[in-house]
Amino acid sequence: MKKIFKINGNKLAWFFLAPSIIGFSVFYAVPFLGGLYYSLVSSPINGEFVGLQNYFNLIKNPSFIKAVINTAMFSFISVPLNMILSLCLALLINANTYGRNIFRTLFITPLVVPVASVVLVWQSLFDINGVLNGLITSLGQHPVDWMKTEWARAAVIIVYLWKNIGYSMVLFLSGLKNIPVEYYESAKIDGANSWKQFTNITMVYLTPTAFFVFIMSIINSFKVFRETYLISGDHPHSSIYMLQHYMNNMFASLDYQKLTSAAFVMAVFIVLIVFILFVIERKINRMVS
Amino acid sequence: MKRRLKGIVVTVILSVTAIIFIFPLILTVSNSFMSEAEISNNYSMIGSTNSSGTSNDGSTDNYAKLKLIPDVVEIGQYYEVLIKKSQFLLMFWNSVIIVVPIVAGQTIISSMAAYAFAKLKFKGKNQLFFIYIIVMLMPFQVTLVPNYLVADKFGLVNNYLSIIFPGIFNTFGVFLLKQYMEQIPDSYIEAAKMDGAGQFQIFFKVILPMCRNGIAAMFILGFIDNWNMVEQPLIFLQDVQKQPLSVYLSKIIGGERGLAFAASSIYMLPVLLMFLYGENYLIEGIQHSGIKE
């Protein structure tokens, strides 16, 4: 019986991988490459090959450009903010002796609150006739239509942070727990102050964790679209019109060429970002060890 | 003394932040026990297009009121949602039908693939994993057309399977579990081999039991994510009777606010119970996925 199982390592690996790879190929990889075809023809049915024409059109399309800029802006602001705030929170909890576990639980709770509740609460607070404007007018100020001004961007960032800080914090907490106390002790003997200890020990040894948090933060920054969409619909204020809005709308109008070429542009960006990240991570890892 | 003061300040900061974090949960649950009249008294002005606060006299009558404690605790909203509207239960069931196969399938397939990525050697491992990460990072809209085309080709449009299959093969689980499995020291595997265990025994008797927390974390995260799905059913399930509760909820918000509070409280319950029960697994699981030795 045992002999049957003694296949060589390579084949065995493929056995374990097979279900995942087959499904992954059928439902993602192959159709995704097939999408490339749509981005190169003039029409989805009996279209002519037009080369990169769809891509040129895309770059000239103002709503696409706006969507790219908004998406980039959102990620550049919200991802670092999420990392900094969750790290601060992790450091605070780490230093705090009271109710550590209770706080940890409370901060991670937003993960389980359904999108529908988020939207309900959001409207109650930030509607033109919402609670916040009630408060503002009672202070003698004019009400603001939050979701229809530049404030909308801040609003989406807040939803994102609220939902994701807890998760990132838990990751950072475990990273902190794994730094040996002796490092700090010997640094103290060498006369390093707390800032030096933070930059030379905490920051350095948290790098692998930070890398993971970064990836998770990016994934989740795309997911906040769900909330945004439910709060403000197909055509929100122009400051929060994201690539996902653009693609959704192109899908709705059956414009597959625009949609697939936009998808490929986005894919290229993501590949670049991840690639750069890997290079940086590898360099830092080499420095640490 | 100084140390104690610092401790108090930190606790206060953490408490205030924590209250903000769980506020939406508290508001949803507490408002679900209000009567319809109370809800409409508090929120009826929301959704009207023009601002009512033109008179700048400091009156707040025209604005929504935030109340956490109901005047009279009522279960009318729940009665309406659970007994009078049969649709609600149907949609709840739809959610279950979609989510359970996804998380179950994802658990099996991801743990197998993660094992290969973490502990076995094969050609092109890093490149393949890189592709998995890239696809994991893509927002839903990027894979939308491909998914749709495949569903169309297999005749799965308007069928739950069109959502379930892509869900099962989502690469997030592989990523999470690979990180987790990498932490298991190779010496365990070596020891099992010395005792004459085959690769399958190693996988089932050594690796899987040790990954309990990671798998639980993946299960809970996957459940939450799919339980809340909105975009996929809207696109793949044209039949309204087939839509999950998440879609239904996102539609009733406008008109029937009171019902929405009760419905989303019920909706939250399975996830909340799972979270409270599995919280330690979840936290352990995601913690260990973040560190690489």
Side-chain angles (χ1 to χ4, degrees):
Chain A
M1 194 60 195
K2 213 172 278 170
K3 272 200 177 138
I4 307 169
F5 291 137
K6 281 204 172 163
I7 334 166
N8 87 30
N10 215 335
K11 271 187 199 154
L12 189 84
W14 290 111
F15 171 82
F16 277 101
L17 274 175
S20 173
I21 288 193
I22 293 170
F24 176 73
S25 311
V26 173
F27 291 97
Y28 293 98
V30 172
F32 184 60
L33 291 175
L36 190 59
Y37 164 79
Y38 286 98
S39 74
L40 299 174
V41 294
S42 61
S43 146
I45 304 147
N46 298 325
E48 257 175 77
F49 183 79
V50 290
L52 294 177
Q53 195 55 45
N54 289 324
Y55 290 90
F56 292 130
N57 293 344
L58 200 63
I59 300 171
K60 280 184 262 167
N61 184 327
S63 55
F64 173 74
I65 298 296
K66 187 199 290 287
V68 169
I69 292 171
N70 281 337
T71 307
M73 277 270 277
F74 174 72
S75 301
F76 275 123
I77 298 170
S78 66
V79 171
L81 213 53
N82 176 46
M83 294 185 71
I84 292 166
L85 291 175
S86 54
L87 179 59
C88 289
L89 216 51
L91 289 169
L92 280 181
I93 285 201
N94 214 29
N96 199 38
T97 39
Y98 319 99
R100 226 180 122 114
N101 289 350
I102 297 170
F103 282 124
R104 208 181 53 177
T105 306
L106 294 179
F107 287 127
I108 205 171
T109 307
L111 266 185
V112 302
V113 175
V115 181
S117 295
V118 177
V119 178
L120 270 175
V121 173
W122 195 258
Q123 288 179 337
S124 313
L125 294 177
F126 294 96
D127 190 84
I128 177 77
N129 296 322
V131 175
L132 196 62
N133 275 336
L135 196 72
I136 286 175
T137 38
S138 72
L139 295 171
Q141 304 294 318
H142 284 287
V144 179
D145 201 351
W146 303 99
M147 295 313 287
K148 296 199 176 71
T149 55
E150 292 284 329
W151 283 101
R153 183 178 284 138
V156 179
I157 293 175
I158 290 172
V159 174
Y160 167 79
L161 291 175
W162 168 77
K163 193 151 191 149
N164 291 289
I165 280 181
Y167 188 95
S168 310
M169 181 203 75
V170 168
L171 290 169
F172 276 129
L173 269 177
S174 71
L176 289 172
K177 213 171 70 187
N178 276 285
I179 304 173
V181 193
E182 299 90 64
Y183 292 173
Y184 292 104
E185 280 161 3
S186 62
K188 256 183 222 157
I189 294 167
D190 293 342
N193 59 22
S194 20
W195 176 249
K196 267 246 166 79
Q197 286 176 33
F198 177 72
T199 50
N200 291 349
I201 303 170
T202 312
M203 292 268 275
V204 172
Y205 288 94
L206 272 185
T207 309
T209 313
F211 178 70
F212 188 72
V213 175
F214 187 84
I215 289 202
M216 293 308 302
S217 304
I218 292 186
I219 302 178
N220 292 327
S221 82
F222 293 138
K223 280 195 182 147
V224 79
F225 173 73
R226 203 186 264 169
E227 279 88 354
T228 315
Y229 183 74
L230 290 180
I231 293 171
S232 50
D234 281 339
H235 293 281
H237 182 261
S238 66
S239 65
I240 51 168
Y241 186 80
M242 304 281 181
L243 267 172
Q244 288 107 304
H245 286 105
Y246 179 81
M247 290 192 234
N248 247 18
N249 293 344
M250 287 308 118
F251 184 79
S253 60
L254 299 174
D255 199 336
Y256 291 164
Q257 302 89 272
K258 277 193 192 142
L259 172 53
T260 46
S261 40
F264 273 93
V265 172
M266 191 162 190
V268 168
F269 271 118
I270 292 178
V271 171
L272 274 178
I273 292 171
V274 178
F275 190 74
I276 293 168
L277 266 176
F278 268 115
V279 173
I280 294 173
E281 201 220 6
R282 213 154 270 181
K283 276 210 172 132
I284 290 175
N285 271 350
R286 221 171 278 150
M287 260 164 55
V288 174
S289 56
Chain B
M1 190 60 202
K2 201 183 154 196
R3 220 189 146 81
R4 234 180 110 186
L5 190 74
K6 209 171 139 192
I8 293 170
V9 172
V10 170
T11 310
V12 170
I13 295 174
L14 287 175
S15 307
V16 173
T17 324
I19 290 170
I20 296 171
F21 269 63
I22 58 164
F23 172 76
L25 186 95
I26 296 171
L27 188 83
T28 308
V29 175
S30 71
N31 279 252
S32 71
F33 289 107
M34 287 179 185
S35 68
E36 219 177 305
E38 197 177 352
I39 291 283
S40 85
N41 183 34
N42 290 345
Y43 298 109
S44 61
M45 51 301 278
I46 283 180
S48 73
T49 39
N50 46 30
S51 162
S52 45
T54 39
S55 57
N56 209 357
D57 56 358
S59 118
T60 56
D61 285 352
N62 301 321
Y63 292 99
K65 285 179 240 10
L66 199 62
K67 267 171 73 180
L68 290 180
I69 299 163
D71 288 341
V72 183
V73 175
E74 270 218 21
I75 55 163
Q77 310 291 357
Y78 285 99
Y79 176 75
E80 184 92 1
V81 165
L82 287 174
I83 315 275
K84 279 171 86 182
K85 297 216 164 188
S86 59
Q87 210 187 358
F88 180 85
L89 287 176
L90 179 78
M91 304 265 175
F92 191 91
W93 182 236
N94 288 345
S95 286
V96 175
I97 293 178
I98 295 173
V99 176
V100 171
I102 292 182
V103 268
Q106 206 186 19
T107 305
I108 298 165
I109 285 164
S110 303
S111 54
M112 285 175 73
Y115 176 59
F117 279 120
K119 293 292 176 201
L120 300 175
K121 287 193 184 79
F122 60 94
K123 252 193 196 156
K125 178 156 113 174
N126 293 335
Q127 289 82 344
L128 187 64
F129 193 64
F130 187 77
I131 298 175
Y132 268 54
I133 292 187
I134 299 293
V135 173
M136 177 180 82
L137 287 169
M138 300 288 177
F140 167 70
Q141 283 71 19
V142 172
T143 48
L144 173 63
V145 171
N147 279 343
Y148 191 82
L149 294 175
V150 172
D152 197 33
K153 193 145 230 167
F154 291 146
L156 293 178
V157 174
N158 212 13
N159 185 321
Y160 292 129
L161 291 175
S162 64
I163 297 174
I164 293 173
F165 278 133
I168 287 179
F169 297 109
N170 191 312
T171 54
F172 173 67
V174 182
F175 179 70
L176 190 82
L177 286 179
K178 183 223 175 202
Q179 305 274 106
Y180 198 90
M181 285 180 189
E182 267 177 348
Q183 298 208 104
I184 298 173
D186 286 339
S187 53
Y188 283 91
I189 298 174
E190 294 305 323
K193 266 188 193 155
M194 297 277 265
D195 292 341
Q199 283 289 354
F200 291 90
Q201 274 172 309
I202 292 176
F203 178 67
F204 284 110
K205 298 234 166 98
V206 180
I207 300 289
L208 283 188
M210 290 190 76
C211 289
R212 215 176 37 226
N213 291 339
I215 291 171
M218 186 188 96
F219 191 91
I220 296 172
L221 289 175
F223 192 93
I224 294 168
D225 199 33
N226 289 302
W227 193 245
N228 277 318
M229 69 162 72
V230 177
E231 296 119 310
Q232 290 94 322
L234 275 179
I235 283 166
F236 290 110
L237 303 173
Q238 284 109 6
D239 195 345
V240 182
Q241 292 300 313
K242 287 188 177 171
Q243 302 269 339
L245 197 54
S246 44
V247 173
Y248 174 69
L249 271 181
S250 65
K251 282 181 183 157
I252 64 169
I253 286 166
E256 300 155 298
R257 196 156 273 272
L259 292 189
F261 279 120
S264 59
S265 295
I266 300 170
Y267 190 59
M268 190 156 37
L269 202 62
V271 183
L272 207 57
L273 287 176
M274 192 184 281
F275 174 67
L276 292 176
Y277 176 75
E279 192 215 334
N280 286 324
Y281 299 110
L282 176 73
I283 287 176
E284 280 287 305
I286 56 182
Q287 277 184 344
H288 285 285
S289 59
I291 346 157
K292 272 195 269 175
E293 296 293 325

